[in-house]
Amino acid sequence: MLLRHALLVLLAERPQTGYELARRMRESLSWFWSAQHSQIYPELAAMEDDGLVTVEVGDGPGPRGRKTCTITDRGRVELRVWMASEPTPRPVRDELVLRAFGAGSADPVELVAVFRAEIERLQARLDRYDEIRAEIEAMPGIDDPATPEFGWLMSLLHGIASARARQQWANEMVGKLSSAAR
Amino acid sequence: MLLRHALLVLLAERPQTGYELARRMRESLSWFWSAQHSQIYPELAAMEDDGLVTVEVGDGPGPRGRKTCTITDRGRVELRVWMASEPTPRPVRDELVLRAFGAGSADPVELVAVFRAEIERLQARLDRYDEIRAEIEAMPGIDDPATPEFGWLMSLLHGIASARARQQWANEMVGKLSSAAR
DNA sequence: TGTTGCATGTAAGGGGTTACATGATTGA
DNA sequence: TCAATCATGTAACCCCTTACATGCAACA
């Protein structure tokens, strides 16, 4: 029931169509959550059955109508309860750390290249984060947790902190592998 | 084909049974990789079919024999190629960051409690990491990437770096939420 | 006229978790 | 004798990704 709560978080802000939700997942939320439209549409239907959202059908392009989903009071209660609950621990699967663990089975020169590439990817992401951060921090009411911008900034700060930590670690790996190769 | 390479990493060190591989996944590797025995046994059989491991059946408890898996030359080549390849980006799903994003839909006091609990969980993990670190760093040849201990230390350093970064971020969240509540 | 974006759905398949199932050995 | 550990396997189910499928509107 995790996609369900991710959708409720987005719908709490304003009513949206499934297409819009899928786009926001892809474009902005994707740093910490993601889902395909093929997963979102059935879930929205199930949420309607459970009374968490109401669906309003209007005119739209294509063979089917455009369906706008609105969160119900019951949906808001469900969301508030979930927000206060402890995150269920999810198993981690990190290919890069697995490669670090298995360093003994790799060509050191090739492995250094893998880590250097990761450092560059992270740098590109950090540069992008900085741009967005400048935009968001200029917004009024950014320190008020009740505004959507607050949550946006907080999740961005997480992205920055974790990318920096990972980049530094990758850099350390490159250093150790390089000095050993010499 | 990711479980496959995780198993090859472990088998590169020494021959092992499926049970042993499952235990190591659960006990030590689980910080960055995990798999259940119900997934491991069929995968080992498939790997044998593909000539990546050989299986030796011996006496064992229970109705079936004890099967020791040994990596083949072909398995080592497969592993070396994979180690030098770029990690395929996996979608992130982080419940805690999702809660930070949706801060506006939560009771601030309850949300602070959720983040404080995470800080404590991370502290317990960091304490455990420090114990293991002391043990590993005392080992000889720890700076040689060819030894299993090197990979062990590197993955541990990743765990420490990412836990610290996450803890600091969670602390920042608590600060912002608390000052807004007042 | 062709491509991109809007808009909603279904189907097949892969990866993973949980539960079911069996049974020997070792130690409390 | 009871529990934990060793040891291997199967089955059902859930979540998710990829691909298939349809068709309008706007723009180049």
Side-chain angles (χ1 to χ4, degrees):
Chain A
M1 296 291 160
L2 284 168
L3 171 59
R4 173 162 298 207
H5 295 110
L7 293 172
L8 286 174
V9 165
L10 287 171
L11 288 168
E13 207 183 314
R14 57 184 159 83
Q16 279 157 94
T17 65
Y19 185 87
E20 217 174 334
L21 290 164
R23 186 171 45 75
R24 290 188 68 195
M25 287 253 179
R26 197 175 54 241
E27 285 174 9
S28 47
L29 224 65
S30 68
W31 306 113
F32 55 92
W33 209 268
S34 67
Q36 310 297 320
H37 76 270
S38 60
Q39 210 187 342
I40 290 172
Y41 288 120
E43 185 60 31
L44 285 171
M47 286 162 76
E48 192 192 7
D49 289 345
D50 293 345
L52 303 177
V53 296
T54 55
V55 178
E56 203 187 341
V57 184
D59 276 0
R64 283 166 286 254
R66 180 185 145 100
K67 298 184 176 177
T68 305
C69 300
T70 307
I71 191 168
T72 62
D73 287 346
R74 211 167 134 186
R76 286 192 193 275
V77 170
E78 170 75 25
L79 177 56
R80 209 175 307 128
V81 170
W82 176 80
M83 286 288 293
S85 70
E86 300 244 318
T88 54
R90 291 172 75 85
V92 182
R93 280 190 190 85
D94 192 321
E95 270 196 59
L96 196 72
V97 184
L98 185 57
R99 281 178 176 79
F101 182 82
S105 305
D107 178 306
V109 175
E110 287 177 334
L111 195 57
V112 163
V114 168
F115 278 86
R116 277 200 218 278
E118 175 79 2
I119 290 168
E120 276 174 44
R121 272 193 301 274
L122 288 166
Q123 190 54 50
R125 194 191 295 188
L126 282 166
D127 291 344
R128 178 82 191 104
Y129 281 153
D130 275 346
E131 285 174 22
I132 305 171
R133 183 180 188 170
E135 279 176 46
I136 299 178
E137 283 186 335
M139 290 177 181
I142 194 65
D143 282 324
D144 179 9
T147 66
E149 287 78 24
F150 176 84
W152 199 193
L153 179 59
M154 287 303 102
S155 55
L156 189 71
L157 290 180
H158 174 268
I160 292 171
S162 66
R164 273 196 195 138
R166 191 178 176 83
Q167 201 185 36
Q168 278 164 25
W169 170 76
N171 213 46
E172 209 176 332
M173 268 297 292
V174 168
K176 297 224 181 201
L177 288 170
S178 302
S179 68
R182 268 184 271 112
Chain B
M1 299 291 160
L2 284 168
L3 171 58
R4 174 164 297 209
H5 295 111
L7 292 173
L8 286 175
V9 165
L10 287 172
L11 288 168
E13 207 183 312
R14 57 185 158 84
Q16 280 155 96
T17 65
Y19 186 87
E20 217 174 333
L21 291 164
R23 185 170 45 74
R24 291 187 68 193
M25 287 252 180
R26 198 174 54 241
E27 285 173 10
S28 47
L29 223 67
S30 69
W31 306 113
F32 56 91
W33 208 268
S34 68
Q36 310 298 320
H37 76 269
S38 60
Q39 211 186 342
I40 291 172
Y41 288 119
E43 185 60 34
L44 285 172
M47 286 163 77
E48 192 192 5
D49 288 346
D50 293 346
L52 303 176
V53 295
T54 53
V55 178
E56 200 188 342
V57 184
D59 275 1
R64 282 166 287 253
R66 180 184 145 99
K67 298 184 177 177
T68 305
C69 299
T70 307
I71 191 168
T72 62
D73 286 347
R74 210 167 136 189
R76 287 191 192 275
V77 170
E78 170 75 27
L79 177 56
R80 208 174 309 130
V81 170
W82 176 80
M83 286 289 293
S85 70
E86 299 246 318
T88 53
R90 291 172 75 84
V92 182
R93 279 187 190 89
D94 193 319
E95 272 196 56
L96 195 72
V97 184
L98 185 59
R99 280 177 176 81
F101 182 82
S105 303
D107 178 305
V109 176
E110 288 177 334
L111 195 58
V112 164
V114 168
F115 278 85
R116 278 200 217 277
E118 175 79 3
I119 290 168
E120 276 174 43
R121 270 193 300 274
L122 288 167
Q123 191 54 51
R125 194 191 294 187
L126 282 166
D127 291 344
R128 178 83 190 104
Y129 281 155
D130 275 346
E131 285 174 22
I132 305 170
R133 185 179 185 172
E135 279 175 48
I136 299 178
E137 282 186 337
M139 290 177 181
I142 195 64
D143 282 323
D144 178 11
T147 66
E149 287 79 25
F150 176 85
W152 199 193
L153 179 59
M154 287 303 102
S155 55
L156 188 71
L157 290 179
H158 175 268
I160 291 171
S162 66
R164 272 194 196 140
R166 191 177 176 85
Q167 200 185 36
Q168 279 165 25
W169 170 76
N171 213 46
E172 209 176 331
M173 269 296 294
V174 168
K176 297 225 180 198
L177 288 170
S178 302
S179 69
R182 267 183 275 114

